[in-house]
Amino acid sequence: MSTIITCILHRRTLNLACRHRGSPSPHFFGSAFTIRNTPGPLARRLSTKMSINNKTPSHCVADFCLIPMGDNVGASVSAHIAEVQRVLQESGLVYNMHGNGTSVEGSWDDVMKVIGQAHQRLHDQDIVRVHTDIRIGSRTDKTETSEAKVAAVERRLRGE
């Protein structure tokens, strides 16, 4: 019963969002729903109307700020951040460190993997707690790089 209610409520929420964007059908992202102990017609209606998509974007740009925490972390974290940059170098992904974090580009899975590897590298160095703030952008109409996004703004500033 709770699965049906969750599906119906989740579907109703997505329908509102999709209608607002003009999309004719809802799309579900994440884990597939399991429909158990439901009456036949309702189960068929839910399963045929749901579009399950477990894929991740082929390209994304993530900006993340990794913060090592604990008694053995001093006021300066530059040595730890340097270790994170080594993980990024080893990954082969395009990245750019800035004063408040790092931007990294690649497939969703590769980007999440390298951020997880950065966490693990610090844990391996006896950092007991690591916190990360992440912003991620993805597009389906084109592959956009951080460099291209900055260049577009700079062109506008020049009046082009």
Side-chain angles (χ1 to χ4, degrees):
M1 182 68 177
S2 63
T3 303
I4 294 172
I5 292 170
T6 302
C7 289
I8 292 170
L9 290 175
H10 194 56
R11 183 171 172 83
R12 199 172 285 155
T13 301
L14 286 174
N15 274 337
L16 290 173
C18 289
R19 273 192 217 118
H20 178 69
R21 292 187 178 102
S23 176
S25 63
H27 296 282
F28 289 83
F29 297 94
S31 300
F33 291 101
T34 302
I35 302 170
R36 294 185 185 138
N37 302 322
T38 60
L42 180 58
R44 278 192 299 277
R45 194 172 31 173
L46 285 172
S47 63
T48 57
K49 289 186 177 181
M50 289 194 312
S51 173
I52 306 298
N53 180 351
N54 290 325
K55 297 187 301 184
T56 56
S58 61
H59 185 81
C60 71
V61 178
D63 191 60
F64 73 101
C65 177
L66 188 140
I67 306 159
M69 305 167 118
D71 292 338
N72 57 342
V73 178
S76 174
V77 294
S78 61
H80 304 299
I81 300 307
E83 199 58 40
V84 169
Q85 296 303 304
R86 287 186 188 96
V87 171
L88 288 162
Q89 286 173 347
E90 295 164 6
S91 75
L93 295 176
V94 175
Y95 68 96
N96 179 41
M97 183 179 67
H98 51 83
N100 293 310
T102 302
S103 296
V104 61
E105 302 173 27
S107 74
W108 185 280
D109 296 336
D110 289 345
V111 167
M112 292 298 105
K113 181 179 177 182
V114 77
I115 292 172
Q117 289 170 338
H119 270 248
Q120 190 58 50
R121 179 77 59 97
L122 294 185
H123 288 313
D124 290 346
Q125 295 180 343
D126 296 326
I127 304 298
V128 297
R129 185 174 180 194
V130 179
H131 176 87
T132 298
D133 293 320
I134 309 172
R135 282 183 318 197
I136 306 173
S138 63
R139 294 183 69 155
T140 58
D141 59 336
K142 64 180 179 178
T143 300
E144 190 171 51
T145 65
S146 295
E147 188 176 289
K149 291 165 76 171
V150 170
V153 173
E154 289 173 344
R155 281 193 303 276
R156 291 201 182 254
L157 288 170
R158 289 191 304 268
E160 296 176 17

